[in-house]
Amino acid sequence: MIESYRLSVSLLGFGGSCRLVNPMTERRERYPLLRRGFYHNELHYGKVGVTISINPETLSGPFAASKNLRLPTAAGAWGKQGAYAMPSTLFRRAATALTLLMISGVGLASDWTERSDHNLRPGVTPISQDVYDLHMAILYVVSAIGILVFGLIMYSVFAHRRSKRPKPADFHEHVFLEILWTVIPFFILVGMTIPATKVLIRMDDSSASELVVKVTGYRWKWSYEYLTYQDDNNVGVNFFSNLKTPAEQFNRPALEAGLFPYGTAAENYGKDAPEKDHNYMLDVDKPLYIPSGVKVRFLITSDDVIHSFYMPDFGLKKDAIPGFVNEVWTNVPVGNEGTYYGQCAELCGKNHAFMPIEVRVVAQDEFDGWLAAEKEKAASGPDLTPFSSLESALELGQQKYAASCALCHGANGEGGIGPAFVGSEMATKPEHLQEHIDVLVNGRNAMPSFKAQLTPRDIAAVITYERNAWGNDTGDLIQPADIAK
Amino acid sequence: MAEQPNLEDRISGTLKKLLIASVLMFGFGFALVPLYDVICDVTGLNGKTNSSAAAESKEVDASRTVRVQFVTQTNADMPWEFRPEVRSVELHPGEIKLVQFFAKNEAADTVIGQAIPSVTPGVAASYLKKTQCFCFNQQTLAGGKSMDMPVIFYLDPAIPKHITELTLSYTLYNVTEREQQKSKDVAVHRGSQF
Amino acid sequence: MTATTAEHHDHHDDHHHAPHGLKRWLFSTNHKDIGTLYLWFSFAMFLVGGLLALVIRAELMYPGLQVVDPEFFNQMTTVHGLVMVFGAIMPAFVGLANWMIPLMIGAPDMALPRMNNWSFWILPFAFSILIGSVLMSAFGAGHPSAPNFGWTFYAPLSTTYGPASTDLFILSVHMMGISSIMGAINVVVTVFNLRAPGMTLMKMPLFVWTWLITAFLLIAVMPVLAGAVTMMLTDRHFGTDFFNAAGGGDPVLFQHVFWFFGHPEVYIMILPSFGIVSSIIPVFARKPLFGYASMVYATASIALLSFVVWAHHMFTVGMPLAGTLFFMYMTMLISVPTGVKVFNWIATMWRGSLTFELPMKWALAFVILFTCGGLSGLMLAITPADFQYHDTYFVVAHFHYVLVSGAVFSIMAAAYYWLPKWSGVMPNKILGEVHFWFSLLSVNLLFFPMHFVGLAGMPRRYADYALQFTDYNFWISIGAFWFGASQLIFLAVAVLCCMKKGEKAPMNPWNAPEEDLEWTVPSPAPFHTFDTPPVIK
């Protein structure tokens, strides 16, 4: 059931999100609405008009099948699907925006987890709220200064132009004024530093955390290791987290699809299937779970170059530096459970943009259950169940290849930073099989070791996939036991 | 400006001063390196700990305890298993503790490892005193062998009261190739004291 | 080295003895010719850097990877930054200094004319090396990577993980550095020794003052940059471990060394702008500059403070609280003298008799847009908020407001202001107006929405982005293409002036006060000026 629904407007487009009750877990979650109509039809190509298409099916997850979704139509009623098209004039766009804003309801302004298109996000933690308040305060201060300065300039430009004042004044000093505009800004600054210092001191206090997670940046993925949780000193759960968006979604060679790669507005009107879903470039295969209402300390480091752990909704950004450990902490209050996204914020090489962070904040009892299951998995050792058929190995291999290998070796094994597999000696000749496995397990030169990232079963599947896909029809089926040896 | 007979001298004088200034500033760029180390030692800017044995502790402040957590990180091309035997200890400032780290070379060949310590929060770094540490020297393990590597340390009783827990991290690097390289050509090697 | 102007005193020669053809430019020791070379070179680099920026904007116009792959994208961001900073803005200022400082202080030439020639002619080679690596990457066999670690080249991305072309980059930066240091030395020596009798330091035009202070900054920090790249080189090839954690070094040290250079560097790129604008506004307000002395002191204090704020570029590396607070306070302090300057400019205009010829338009746009950049800079100084802004497009918006609508606009103001003196013809008014208004509108379309995407959380140096950033990125790209195309209009303006097509310029076309010595020589300025020093009242 949609609990609240909100559209936001910026100068150039509209955005929306709704807060829903997850029918499976009965928890409130927030889902941004896809704005395909705006992105790909009207705003980009400006051909046909404003198309506001809010379709339940553009919502991912369990909501896709939910029968309970009700969305506002442009006419103001609530229905299954809201879609509206009209010629694009500035007036009509503004009117539509206003209408939709009114529909969305004033009371929803308290929804401070709103995903913003044009301003800092208030986020979901007290610290991120503090940061947001500081940001807004300094924004008002600089806006006031700006209005004053630009007002004076504009007044002078109009009032003191030659046609009005043929004879200029001749002053060029005024000690009092000069002191004034040195001293007043100084005190404004002092006024700003006081709250900023207070927030900094609060941010600095990482003591008394109940959960400690080590976050390690790799090129180009994150790995999380749960170190301590409450009294458990040796949690021993760790995993890697890779971008989930498949490469074929973002690889789009120049003008291959013509000037309108997404089709014109007319062609797209009424269609549902999203070209890219709203968590494009943000979803990962295995998110980081943290409990709500618990102080979590992140120890941040890197394996190779400098990365930066950036979680806007928690007000966090800290560099991951090889050989050094940094720490930050967060505490998401109970009631703000949900999925939050972050990205790497320090240039780390080719796929810098492709290593997002996805954090699931869940209620503490749910977290306990999740952690217990993960611990059990970790304790039971690697899964060495043999593949029943080549097909089952290929299916897993394809997934794992897309997540872990495609960024360097190409979505179709055509190569990239790493060598190509299509028809290569390594991936086709039987005498290179062991070497092929060794390189994947232990790494070689720029190729990192995948021993820690992939299970023996995954590795076997990937090797099998690389030796059978794209015309490398060797027929080799590598079993997990071959890898674990 | 013919009335300035020494113009050329003045020009070359200024020029000389400025050239010397640029050369000095080039030197200053390099002087930033030791300068930075000094500043880090004083302020804990980068969380580095002492790199050679510290003096023994004298007094113990039994009125409070501090939790020290141990974290290990193995660099991607390092084929060792590396972990602390205990994940954390609680101790009084001034109290001397011995902690063992377990290392096992999972490769077939001999590998030389170098552990790089780091402490967070950075301000705590200068209060963590190690009297013995495997990170002071490189460690060599033959293929398949394992060992326990000890760290003996105490916290300086002057450690600020607000620090109630700190994290000592070791990142283990494979320096085998570098060492082989070095035995071939004697290169300047800053920081070999680690 | 010091074969100076003295030899010219005996024969009052003029154009007739000037060499012609290629030799004139290759072997020139004349400050005006070298200034012209610098200015054309910087404009060429501005277009090259702009082209690279347009590759970036083409890629970011839509989500997805359409035009280039992320590796090449990183090379574009890197080389765009380097070319614009070291190839466009800095040489443009050196060119203006070469042309104008001798004219403004009544000197016959720069004090070290042969070094002047050398410091220019190093640059084309330095940039051939750098741009060559890009061409190899784009068209060469095997597509070796050009520098791809951002213009800030943080270790270990640029050391342990740097491409082979990093060594070309290091060589190129060394050459740029040597060129800048020589240019700066020349300015200081000239200003200290060749001022006309009676031209005391506190009578110097502000452009000379700001350049003098800039030159000291250059001499202080360019060698540190040279030190940083030398350490990179030895880390890469000679077994040192300055920045390598595995050998006991510290990657963060690199950032400290780099920003110790880098922060004064940003003032190197803006102080001469202050000087230009301080020269232009009084002329078109028909009123003397307000607060000359406080302008000089403000410039000097900005320069001094610039040495103690560098770590505000690195708040997220995890400094102790005390360090963070120190750098936050110092950074905020720097806005006080900057504010003084802005208020002085307003007071100069106040109750003047303003007209808005092209140089004044650019100067006014500078004041307003630079102030925008300054205000977002103030926001960035608030450290807790900076944790959010850092490395997002908010920062990109900030420094492009200061460097494009700041430094570049002031250079355009200078060009329109002094082109009559340089070429002897007035810049074409219609083209100039179109150029100005297009640039003004497009630069805001280009950079203002970057504030929004940055605040919304789009990290910089991203080849692809999440969908909520789509709207703005589209408009940013439109702004970028518009801005880029608008600069070609200036190419036409400049070429027309060089071809002497246009209204002939009088000696003092803007009716500048007679203390401004550059307007007391004919237009175009003869090959040799002030062989006999002018008399300063």
Side-chain angles (χ1 to χ4, degrees):
Chain A
M1 182 79 72
I2 290 184
E3 192 169 274
S4 66
Y5 170 78
R6 178 174 178 185
L7 273 171
S8 56
V9 210
S10 69
L11 278 176
L12 301 168
F14 312 94
S17 71
C18 51
R19 183 160 263 223
L20 309 159
V21 177
N22 186 324
M24 310 222 174
T25 61
E26 295 293 314
R27 278 192 305 103
R28 291 156 78 222
E29 288 183 14
R30 223 175 43 75
Y31 275 80
L33 296 168
L34 187 77
R35 285 158 299 159
R36 178 180 162 72
F38 297 101
Y39 288 139
H40 303 311
N41 303 336
E42 186 271 323
L43 273 178
H44 283 182
Y45 311 117
K47 283 268 184 185
V48 175
V50 182
T51 307
I52 302 160
S53 176
I54 304 153
N55 188 317
E57 284 173 32
T58 60
L59 299 170
S60 57
F63 305 105
S66 171
K67 298 274 184 291
N68 297 327
L69 287 176
R70 292 193 317 148
L71 293 161
T73 63
W78 292 81
K80 272 254 180 244
Q81 176 171 338
Y84 189 53
M86 63 176 163
S88 176
T89 64
L90 198 61
F91 174 77
R92 288 195 175 180
R93 279 172 64 177
T96 316
L98 274 177
T99 318
L100 284 166
L101 256 193
M102 282 187 285
I103 296 167
S104 70
V106 192
L108 303 173
S110 62
D111 181 6
W112 45 288
T113 63
E114 182 61 52
R115 187 188 279 207
S116 168
D117 278 1
H118 49 266
N119 198 3
L120 210 60
R121 281 181 253 183
V124 291
T125 67
I127 287 285
S128 71
Q129 279 276 288
D130 286 345
V131 169
Y132 177 77
D133 292 343
L134 260 183
H135 159 74
M136 290 313 286
I138 185 78
L139 183 62
Y140 289 134
V141 169
V142 299
S143 303
I145 298 172
I147 289 168
L148 173 77
V149 170
F150 303 148
L152 288 173
I153 293 175
M154 282 305 149
Y155 177 77
S156 183
V157 162
F158 286 105
H160 303 147
R161 56 188 200 270
R162 185 158 65 179
S163 50
K164 289 220 167 159
R165 294 176 53 87
K167 207 169 153 39
D170 192 34
F171 65 90
H172 57 89
E173 266 175 343
H174 195 292
V175 178
F176 177 69
L177 265 182
E178 286 176 71
I179 291 173
L180 207 63
W181 64 49
T182 312
V183 173
I184 290 180
F186 181 79
F187 282 106
I188 295 177
L189 293 180
V190 172
M192 282 313 304
T193 54
I194 293 167
T197 306
K198 280 185 185 156
V199 176
L200 262 182
I201 290 170
R202 263 206 299 284
M203 284 175 150
D204 200 53
D205 176 20
S206 60
S207 60
S209 58
E210 282 184 70
L211 171 65
V212 181
V213 183
K214 190 178 85 166
V215 176
T216 310
Y218 286 79
R219 304 214 294 174
W220 291 276
K221 58 187 88 63
W222 294 94
S223 111
Y224 305 109
E225 182 180 358
Y226 290 75
L227 295 172
T228 57
Y229 178 51
Q230 293 170 339
D231 297 332
D232 184 355
N233 210 349
N234 195 355
V235 178
V237 169
N238 61 74
F239 53 86
F240 281 79
S241 182
N242 293 289
L243 175 73
K244 201 160 89 181
T245 311
E248 60 267 23
Q249 262 197 33
F250 49 76
N251 279 330
R252 189 180 289 282
L255 302 180
E256 188 190 57
L259 272 173
F260 300 96
Y262 307 101
T264 61
E267 286 161 10
N268 275 302
Y269 180 69
K271 282 190 196 166
D272 301 334
E275 185 93 27
K276 303 171 176 187
D277 63 37
H278 71 275
N279 290 331
Y280 170 75
M281 297 275 295
L282 293 173
D283 272 341
V284 299
D285 55 358
K286 188 156 186 186
L288 171 69
Y289 275 77
I290 59 170
S292 59
V294 167
K295 187 162 179 177
V296 184
R297 189 156 60 104
F298 297 107
L299 294 171
I300 299 173
T301 187
S302 164
D303 190 58
D304 35 49
V305 300
I306 298 177
H307 303 270
S308 191
F309 186 73
Y310 173 31
M311 278 303 298
D313 286 317
F314 302 162
L316 297 186
K317 189 182 285 143
K318 202 65 134 186
D319 291 356
I321 299 163
F324 295 85
V325 172
N326 266 327
E327 65 181 6
V328 282
W329 64 273
T330 192
N331 189 346
V332 182
V334 175
N336 284 315
E337 292 82 7
T339 303
Y340 301 101
Y341 296 98
Q343 290 173 295
C344 175
E346 182 62 63
L347 180 62
C348 55
K350 180 180 178 186
N351 294 319
H352 169 46
F354 301 83
M355 48 182 291
I357 302 153
E358 182 180 343
V359 182
R360 296 263 168 89
V361 181
V362 296
Q364 196 169 358
D365 49 347
E366 192 182 334
F367 175 79
D368 293 349
W370 175 85
L371 194 65
E374 288 292 321
K375 276 169 84 169
E376 202 174 311
K377 238 190 276 175
S380 65
D383 173 14
L384 296 179
T385 324
F387 295 112
S388 55
S389 67
L390 187 59
E391 284 67 38
S392 63
L394 287 177
E395 192 184 333
L396 178 65
Q398 186 170 13
Q399 284 171 26
K400 293 294 166 187
Y401 181 88
S404 300
C405 320
L407 283 175
C408 292
H409 294 282
N412 297 308
E414 72 273 23
I417 291 183
F421 291 119
V422 182
S424 73
E425 299 249 310
M426 177 78 92
T428 53
K429 296 273 162 56
E431 64 267 28
H432 287 294
L433 174 59
Q434 194 52 47
E435 190 188 350
H436 191 176
I437 296 171
D438 286 348
V439 171
L440 180 57
V441 173
N442 295 321
R444 175 192 284 176
N445 302 330
M447 165 91 178
S449 156
F450 278 84
K451 190 168 49 188
Q453 303 186 30
L454 299 174
T455 65
R457 206 162 189 272
D458 295 340
I459 292 174
V462 167
I463 299 278
T464 307
Y465 180 69
E466 285 170 357
R467 300 182 80 83
N468 288 285
W470 324 298
N472 291 357
D473 300 317
T474 57
D476 294 346
L477 172 59
I478 291 84
Q479 293 290 2
D482 301 336
I483 307 297
K485 37 175 181 351
Chain B
M1 290 197 195
E3 68 275 12
Q4 302 262 9
N6 56 349
L7 180 63
E8 284 197 21
D9 290 348
R10 286 201 301 149
I11 287 176
S12 61
T14 323
L15 174 66
K16 269 180 208 142
K17 277 181 213 148
L18 294 172
L19 283 175
I20 290 168
S22 357
V23 172
L24 285 179
M25 284 312 291
F26 185 69
F28 179 75
F30 286 88
L32 280 173
V33 178
L35 206 62
Y36 176 72
D37 284 348
V38 170
I39 292 171
C40 288
D41 281 352
V42 176
T43 65
L45 191 63
N46 61 353
K48 271 193 192 176
T49 57
N50 59 313
S51 51
S52 54
E56 292 285 334
S57 158
K58 296 205 173 63
E59 35 169 337
V60 175
D61 177 2
S63 66
R64 57 189 170 129
T65 55
V66 177
R67 199 161 92 120
V68 180
Q69 182 164 31
F70 305 103
V71 177
T72 55
Q73 166 84 10
T74 319
N75 196 246
D77 61 352
M78 184 63 175
W80 287 16
E81 185 191 345
F82 175 50
R83 59 181 156 78
E85 298 280 17
V86 288
R87 291 284 172 174
S88 68
V89 294
E90 300 213 343
L91 75 173
H92 300 302
E95 185 186 345
I96 294 172
K97 275 273 177 198
L98 169 89
V99 178
Q100 294 284 3
F101 283 71
F102 173 80
K104 178 167 190 273
N105 182 358
E106 291 180 332
D109 306 321
T110 300
V111 170
I112 308 171
Q114 172 67 60
I116 303 296
S118 170
V119 168
T120 181
V123 280
S126 52
Y127 300 101
L128 190 131
K129 306 280 188 194
K130 288 178 281 189
T131 54
Q132 191 191 330
C133 178
F134 58 89
C135 61
F136 293 165
N137 305 100
Q138 291 171 344
Q139 304 293 327
T140 309
L141 263 183
K145 291 280 185 291
S146 65
M147 65 172 162
D148 276 333
M149 305 189 293
V151 179
I152 302 176
F153 73 97
Y154 65 91
L155 297 175
D156 191 325
I159 187 166
K161 291 264 190 299
H162 68 86
I163 299 175
T164 54
E165 59 185 347
L166 58 94
T167 306
L168 171 59
S169 138
Y170 286 104
T171 308
L172 194 62
Y173 286 95
N174 184 348
V175 292
T176 317
E177 268 179 44
R178 299 161 58 86
E179 286 310 300
Q180 286 162 353
Q181 190 75 31
K182 217 165 49 175
S183 55
K184 269 185 235 150
D185 49 46
V186 183
V188 190
H189 193 258
R190 196 187 85 88
S192 56
Q193 72 268 28
F194 274 97
Chain C
M1 271 300 202
T2 53
T4 57
T5 52
E7 65 201 49
H8 292 306
H9 284 287
D10 301 332
H11 46 103
H12 285 264
D13 57 356
D14 43 33
H15 317 67
H16 308 298
H17 292 277
H20 292 281
L22 192 62
K23 272 189 170 174
R24 165 174 175 192
W25 301 107
L26 273 179
F27 302 123
S28 178
T29 53
N30 178 288
H31 73 103
K32 301 186 185 75
D33 279 0
I34 294 174
T36 307
L37 285 172
Y38 263 114
L39 289 170
W40 273 113
F41 175 78
S42 69
F43 189 61
M45 285 300 117
F46 181 57
L47 295 182
V48 169
L51 208 61
L52 303 179
L54 292 185
V55 174
I56 296 170
R57 285 321 316 174
E59 178 54 59
L60 292 176
M61 197 157 174
Y62 303 118
L65 298 173
Q66 291 90 358
V67 184
V68 291
D69 83 312
E71 169 63 30
F72 194 69
F73 181 90
N74 287 346
Q75 298 166 26
M76 293 292 105
T77 55
T78 306
V79 183
H80 163 71
L82 292 167
V83 165
M84 287 303 200
V85 168
F86 295 104
I89 294 179
M90 288 169 66
F93 283 138
V94 182
L96 292 173
N98 257 298
W99 249 105
M100 301 321 299
I101 285 179
L103 286 181
M104 284 177 156
I105 61 172
D109 201 316
M110 296 296 277
L112 306 161
R114 286 183 208 164
M115 192 162 98
N116 207 5
N117 172 293
W118 194 25
S119 67
F120 171 74
W121 279 109
I122 287 177
L123 279 182
F125 294 95
F127 281 90
S128 305
I129 292 169
L130 183 64
I131 294 167
S133 70
V134 178
L135 295 178
M136 281 192 279
S137 168
F139 306 111
H143 300 275
S145 178
N148 58 4
F149 27 66
W151 87 276
T152 51
F153 53 102
Y154 280 6
L157 186 60
S158 62
T159 52
T160 320
Y161 294 84
S165 62
T166 308
D167 302 325
L168 292 179
F169 156 84
I170 290 170
L171 177 63
S172 168
V173 168
H174 266 304
M175 290 165 71
M176 296 168 198
I178 289 169
S179 160
S180 294
I181 291 168
M182 291 196 302
I185 287 178
N186 215 340
V187 168
V188 177
V189 176
T190 307
V191 172
F192 277 0
N193 295 301
L194 294 187
R195 295 193 311 277
M199 171 78 76
T200 59
L201 284 175
M202 287 312 271
K203 273 189 186 166
M204 292 195 309
L206 256 174
F207 178 70
V208 183
W209 252 118
T210 52
W211 235 113
L212 180 66
I213 291 166
T214 302
F216 276 115
L217 284 180
L218 278 166
I219 293 166
V221 301
M222 288 309 285
V224 177
L225 175 70
V229 292
T230 308
M231 287 186 244
M232 269 174 71
L233 185 74
T234 58
D235 265 15
R236 281 169 61 81
H237 298 296
F238 302 105
T240 60
D241 288 307
F242 290 108
F243 309 132
N244 184 1
D250 185 348
V252 178
L253 169 65
F254 174 85
Q255 298 185 25
H256 283 287
V257 178
F258 178 82
W259 287 115
F260 185 85
F261 147 79
H263 200 78
E265 168 69 16
V266 307
Y267 289 99
I268 286 166
M269 292 190 283
I270 203 68
L271 292 183
S273 304
F274 293 164
I276 292 166
V277 171
S278 304
S279 299
I280 291 174
I281 289 182
V283 171
F284 296 93
R286 291 167 186 80
K287 223 173 124 247
L289 181 69
F290 185 92
Y292 173 90
S294 67
M295 283 296 216
V296 173
Y297 299 137
T299 312
S301 42
I302 291 173
L304 286 177
L305 279 172
S306 77
F307 284 103
V308 289
V309 297
W310 78 87
H312 70 209
H313 297 269
M314 352 175 354
F315 280 140
T316 61
V317 299
M319 277 183 291
L321 183 63
T324 309
L325 289 175
F326 171 79
F327 284 109
M328 173 168 86
Y329 298 154
M330 285 299 136
T331 305
M332 296 182 82
L333 200 56
I334 226 169
S335 60
V336 173
T338 316
V340 167
K341 286 182 162 293
V342 174
F343 287 122
N344 280 351
W345 290 322
I346 297 174
T348 307
M349 286 162 51
W350 203 255
R351 291 172 55 213
S353 176
L354 297 165
T355 52
F356 304 98
E357 287 90 343
L358 280 167
M360 183 63 168
K361 282 206 177 79
W362 285 99
L364 265 179
F366 168 90
V367 175
I368 293 174
L369 298 179
F370 171 78
T371 305
C372 282
L375 292 174
S376 61
L378 193 53
M379 295 174 71
L380 282 158
I382 307 288
T383 312
D386 178 80
F387 289 147
Q388 291 284 287
Y389 307 144
H390 177 81
D391 261 338
T392 67
Y393 264 79
F394 191 76
V395 177
V396 179
H398 160 71
F399 69 72
H400 281 96
Y401 260 85
V402 230
L403 289 180
V404 180
S405 54
V408 171
F409 271 37
S410 77
I411 292 164
M412 289 298 172
Y416 280 102
Y417 184 55
W418 284 311
L419 260 174
K421 185 58 60 196
W422 299 337
S423 68
V425 293
M426 301 299 287
N428 185 300
K429 277 211 185 68
I430 297 168
L431 287 178
E433 291 286 338
V434 176
H435 176 214
F436 171 74
W437 287 107
F438 274 18
S439 298
L440 180 69
L441 295 173
S442 60
V443 88
N444 284 296
L445 181 60
L446 167 53
F447 296 121
F448 207 78
M450 284 188 183
H451 291 114
F452 300 138
V453 281
L455 290 177
M458 178 167 163
R460 65 192 280 210
R461 294 162 170 167
Y462 260 31
D464 194 7
Y465 45 82
L467 291 186
Q468 73 259 36
F469 309 124
T470 310
D471 295 346
Y472 288 127
N473 269 292
F474 175 77
W475 289 107
I476 291 168
S477 290
I478 296 293
F481 290 116
W482 187 10
F483 184 76
S486 308
Q487 303 321 304
L488 296 177
I489 303 172
F490 181 71
L491 181 64
V493 172
V495 168
L496 283 177
C497 282
C498 287
M499 291 167 65
K500 316 282 177 203
K501 294 267 165 61
E503 187 192 334
K504 208 171 152 11
M507 186 152 98
N508 188 356
W510 315 115
N511 292 317
E514 61 189 22
E515 298 94 67
D516 292 0
L517 292 179
E518 76 263 34
W519 302 111
T520 61
V521 301
S523 297
F527 201 63
H528 295 294
T529 40
F530 296 128
D531 284 345
T532 322
V535 179
I536 315 291
K537 58 175 171 45

